Amino acid sequence: MASVPQFYFRTSKLIGLTDAAPRYEDVEGFQQPTGNLRTCTYSPSGGHFAYTSADDVKIIDSTSGAVSHTIPVPNVYEVGFSPKGSYLCTYERPLKLDDGQNAHHNFKVWDVATGEKISQFVQKNQTMANFQFTYDEKFCARLVPNELQFYETKKLGGPASHKLRLEGCTAFAISPGHSYYIAIFVPERKGKPAVVDVYNAPNFARPLSTKSLFKAERVGLKWNNLGTSLLVLTMTEVDQTGKSYYGESTLHLRGIAGNFDSRITLDKEGPIHDVAWCPDSKEFAVVYGYMPAKTMIFNYRGETIRTLPLGPRNTILYSPHGRFLILAGFGNLQGEVDIYDRQNAYKKVSTIDASNTSVCEWSPDGRYILFATTSPRLRVDNGVKIFHVTGKLVFVREMTELFSASWRPESADIYPLRSTISPAPEPHVSATAVDVKTPAKSAGAYRPPHARGSATPLLFKREDEGGFAVNAVDAAQQRVRAMRTVPGAASKEDDAAGEEGLSKTALRNKKKREAKKAREATEAAAVSENVKEPVATNGTSTSPPPPPGLGITKNGITFKNPQDEKKYRGLMKKLRAIEDLKVRLDQGEKLEDTQETKIQTEASVRSELAALGWKEK
């Protein structure tokens, strides 16, 4: 019997297994569980399916749907299989034991064939990435604080066979190829750069290669399928230059044989949205830059092969055979999906509108694409849609609170690669009942009547529509300049433009203001020349006394210089404050010591005022 692609779905109430084309029917032998179902997953080989309930974990034969084993371990929040599906790992939420002495062993490893527990550990993080197997399941590795422990799987219940001490290591990845390469990441610490070391396990005496990285707080380690090359995607939480709100990201390519090690040069500013290896390990694709993002294809040595059109995209997926390439924009983007044929010079095959998509996956045969809208990201319009590679909708299943959905993993060798693109099959009844509407073309931004019917200036076009490329730094500087501009005031550019565009009245008023400023400046210069006191060589003043009329008159008092006038104003202010305090004291109010001291200075204030020419009225 030929293999049929299969997918699972998990909602708030049940879990289901469904055979895809051409039947689109639920697996007969699988009794859909209900209740509090926290998680579920397929084994990498696709032979088993496991799901958790409040009381136990069940392992299912994915083809027949029959229960293989029931593992009596409650409150499991995560499950994961080994590469060949021989072992199952379960993670429970850590608990505090009553005795207070022993720690709760919340991470357990089980034998799928017998259902027996092999080993158990203490793990704080809810993730399966801290425990990994080699491709043949002969060895496994476990990451603990500041140490990587390496085990022989058959002796997993005993102590670790090898230990690698690395201060501050936070992530590692085992090569999927026929080798035991392990990449380990140590982030920046105490002024030291981050490091990615590659070891050939179980030989941990010295690394095969070491790479120091700057601006690397987090990292994504992506091996190709052959295990011969490693992509290192480094990320920081904060961009020190202020160019991006999402931090900085860089991409490095490393050849394990040591024949190349380089940073991938990306010619557009902005974050790296997605990176993916082709299944044949000969090339990889990168989506990067501010929107509209740019997509470039590189060979295994990091040399540019092809550039795809600009567009609002942030996701890239190769089909299992590597023939087709999906370039899509999900999340806060509109959900457009472009499919390219690599065998036909990257010719676009179809475009699909998949708005509000949370999950996008290729089927194992490379002919169908599963799109799912899940909760809690979006609590309405949840469900699964399956499209043919030509862009035709073939199956729809609407659900309430869909949490996850995924294809059953299978080897692409089971489904031979076809030389031509096969036509889409007849759609399922569920797809024919759905009214697939072609998205209406947006009317665009408002345009005033005088600009309608004319071509859009390049300044207002997006880069992928033929407009100018926008530099993030220039745009930020323009925003700062705009913030510093006073509304209604003439800008520097306007001042530099001269008197062009001014009316006769405005020009006449401008000339009057300029003449008045010049006259005042001349008078001030004349006064400064008269007041200036030249000094003789013996140090005595040789200037005559200031002529009458040059002093400052205020309140009937003529002051010889501005300093006396300023002193007069300060003394009058003190005198008024003293008078106010005396009134408050007469009214019976209790004053502070500093206020009473201030009243006692009244005589000295009046004497200083009298010296300046003030007379009490």
Side-chain angles (χ1 to χ4, degrees):
M1 180 178 178
S3 179
V4 176
Q6 182 187 109
F7 68 91
Y8 86 84
F9 61 88
R10 179 175 68 92
T11 68
S12 59
K13 296 182 179 180
L14 57 86
I15 292 177
L17 299 180
T18 302
D19 289 332
R23 296 195 294 267
Y24 293 105
E25 298 175 351
D26 293 337
V27 177
E28 294 181 359
F30 180 66
Q31 296 182 356
Q32 295 182 349
T34 59
N36 185 15
L37 308 169
R38 293 192 179 96
T39 184
C40 59
T41 186
Y42 282 108
S43 63
S45 60
H48 297 94
F49 177 77
Y51 68 87
T52 66
S53 63
D55 301 323
D56 53 31
V57 177
K58 286 186 170 56
I59 302 176
I60 310 295
D61 182 280
S62 61
T63 303
S64 63
V67 178
S68 300
H69 294 284
T70 299
I71 300 176
V73 52
N75 301 320
V76 173
Y77 284 79
E78 289 288 338
V79 293
F81 284 93
S82 59
K84 292 186 176 182
S86 303
Y87 303 96
L88 176 70
C89 301
T90 60
Y91 172 86
E92 310 163 41
R93 182 167 292 179
L95 300 176
K96 186 175 182 179
L97 301 181
D98 295 336
D99 55 10
Q101 300 294 329
N102 300 321
H104 176 218
H105 293 83
N106 60 325
F107 189 92
K108 300 179 176 66
V109 183
W110 309 81
D111 189 332
V112 173
T114 62
E116 297 179 354
K117 182 173 64 177
I118 297 176
S119 184
Q120 59 183 5
F121 306 97
V122 177
Q123 180 172 307
K124 294 182 179 180
N125 297 330
Q126 184 176 337
T127 176
M128 291 295 161
N130 288 350
F131 193 92
Q132 300 179 26
F133 290 85
T134 57
Y135 75 99
D136 56 0
E137 300 179 349
K138 183 178 179 180
F139 299 99
C140 59
R142 173 173 175 255
L143 182 65
V144 297
N146 304 322
E147 190 175 76
L148 183 69
Q149 300 176 353
F150 204 68
Y151 296 85
E152 292 185 29
T153 307
K154 293 182 179 180
K155 302 178 182 180
L156 190 57
S161 58
H162 297 82
K163 294 182 180 180
L164 177 62
R165 183 74 179 179
L166 285 175
E167 194 74 19
C169 56
T170 58
F172 78 104
I174 297 180
S175 163
H178 292 180
S179 57
Y180 300 145
Y181 296 136
I182 301 180
I184 306 175
F185 171 70
V186 179
E188 296 176 346
R189 186 178 183 185
K190 296 180 180 179
K192 297 181 180 180
V195 177
V196 174
D197 292 332
V198 178
Y199 292 86
N200 188 6
N203 181 15
F204 294 112
R206 56 179 300 178
L208 291 177
S209 62
T210 300
K211 178 69 174 179
S212 297
L213 304 170
F214 294 92
K215 298 181 180 180
E217 298 174 359
R218 295 179 293 112
V219 73
L221 303 172
K222 295 180 179 289
W223 289 96
N224 62 357
N225 287 343
L226 295 179
T228 57
S229 298
L230 174 69
L231 284 173
V232 181
L233 176 61
T234 63
M235 294 158 281
T236 61
E237 297 292 343
V238 179
D239 185 356
Q240 299 295 338
T241 63
K243 295 180 182 179
S244 173
Y245 175 79
Y246 301 99
E248 295 181 83
S249 55
T250 56
L251 185 64
H252 302 263
L253 175 64
R254 302 183 62 183
I256 304 306
N259 50 353
F260 56 88
D261 183 358
S262 63
R263 174 176 173 175
I264 302 301
T265 303
L266 304 176
D267 57 356
K268 185 178 175 63
E269 290 187 351
I272 298 176
H273 304 289
D274 198 8
V275 181
W277 276 104
C278 183
D280 60 10
S281 300
K282 295 181 179 180
E283 68 178 47
F284 62 93
V286 185
V287 185
Y288 64 96
Y290 298 110
M291 295 298 163
K294 189 173 184 178
T295 304
M296 293 188 70
I297 313 297
F298 299 86
N299 63 13
Y300 67 95
R301 298 185 65 87
E303 300 167 345
T304 304
I305 299 176
R306 183 177 294 272
T307 301
L308 299 182
L310 297 175
R313 305 289 184 265
N314 59 9
T315 303
I316 191 162
L317 294 169
Y318 283 94
S319 63
H321 298 93
R323 175 172 182 176
F324 300 107
L325 177 70
I326 280 181
L327 188 58
F330 299 132
N332 58 350
L333 301 179
Q334 295 181 351
E336 284 189 356
V337 179
D338 295 330
I339 303 176
Y340 295 90
D341 187 355
R342 292 179 59 239
Q343 291 187 358
N344 192 10
Y346 284 90
K347 181 181 179 181
K348 186 184 289 188
V349 177
S350 61
T351 298
I352 300 172
D353 179 20
S355 58
N356 301 325
T357 294
S358 306
V359 178
C360 175
E361 289 186 3
W362 281 100
S363 63
D365 59 0
R367 299 180 59 200
Y368 301 95
I369 308 158
L370 180 145
F371 298 96
T373 302
T374 60
S375 294
R377 182 182 178 275
L378 195 66
R379 297 189 181 276
V380 296
D381 298 332
N382 284 190
V384 172
K385 293 182 180 180
I386 297 178
F387 284 82
H388 189 259
V389 70
T390 57
K392 186 174 182 180
L393 180 65
V394 295
F395 177 77
V396 175
R397 183 162 186 171
E398 297 180 352
M399 307 174 194
T400 302
E401 280 196 294
L402 174 66
F403 291 140
S404 62
S406 179
W407 291 104
R408 176 176 63 179
E410 292 181 283
S411 174
D413 299 335
I414 301 176
Y415 305 94
L417 179 62
R418 305 186 182 188
S419 57
T420 59
I421 301 176
S422 59
E426 289 296 323
H428 188 258
V429 178
S430 59
T432 58
V434 176
D435 183 16
V436 182
K437 298 181 180 180
T438 303
K441 188 176 181 180
S442 175
Y446 170 78
R447 304 188 71 182
H450 71 274
R452 295 172 186 171
S454 59
T456 303
L458 294 179
L459 181 63
F460 300 104
K461 284 187 176 182
R462 285 194 331 218
E463 189 176 351
D464 58 329
E465 296 175 346
F468 296 115
V470 178
N471 185 293
V473 178
D474 294 342
Q477 292 176 350
Q478 291 175 6
R479 289 193 294 270
V480 172
R481 286 196 294 267
M483 293 170 60
R484 292 175 178 173
T485 303
V486 179
S491 63
K492 295 181 179 179
E493 290 78 2
D494 296 336
D495 294 340
E499 300 175 351
E500 297 181 1
L502 293 177
S503 63
K504 293 182 179 180
T505 304
L507 184 59
R508 184 168 55 253
N509 293 337
K510 182 179 179 181
K511 290 181 178 180
K512 287 182 179 180
R513 290 193 298 270
E514 292 175 353
K516 182 179 179 182
K517 289 180 181 179
R519 186 170 58 254
E520 292 176 351
T522 303
E523 293 176 355
V527 171
S528 63
E529 288 295 331
N530 292 330
V531 174
K532 187 175 181 181
E533 186 175 343
V535 180
T537 55
N538 58 1
T540 60
S541 176
T542 61
S543 62
L550 292 180
I552 302 173
T553 303
K554 186 173 183 180
N555 296 334
I557 305 173
T558 301
F559 302 99
K560 296 181 180 180
N561 52 60
Q563 287 75 13
D564 290 345
E565 190 269 339
K566 183 177 181 181
K567 183 178 180 181
Y568 168 78
R569 285 190 283 111
L571 292 172
M572 289 300 297
K573 183 177 180 181
K574 288 183 180 181
L575 186 59
R576 287 194 296 270
I578 291 172
E579 296 293 341
D580 293 339
L581 292 174
K582 290 169 64 177
V583 172
R584 291 166 57 186
L585 184 62
D586 294 341
Q587 293 177 352
E589 184 177 345
K590 186 178 181 179
L591 301 179
E592 297 180 0
D593 295 341
T594 55
Q595 294 174 329
E596 293 179 354
T597 303
K598 191 171 186 179
I599 294 176
Q600 295 174 3
T601 62
E602 179 181 3
S604 61
V605 172
R606 290 181 180 274
S607 62
E608 291 183 25
L609 286 172
L612 295 174
W614 174 78
K615 295 181 181 180
E616 187 173 1
K617 298 180 181 180

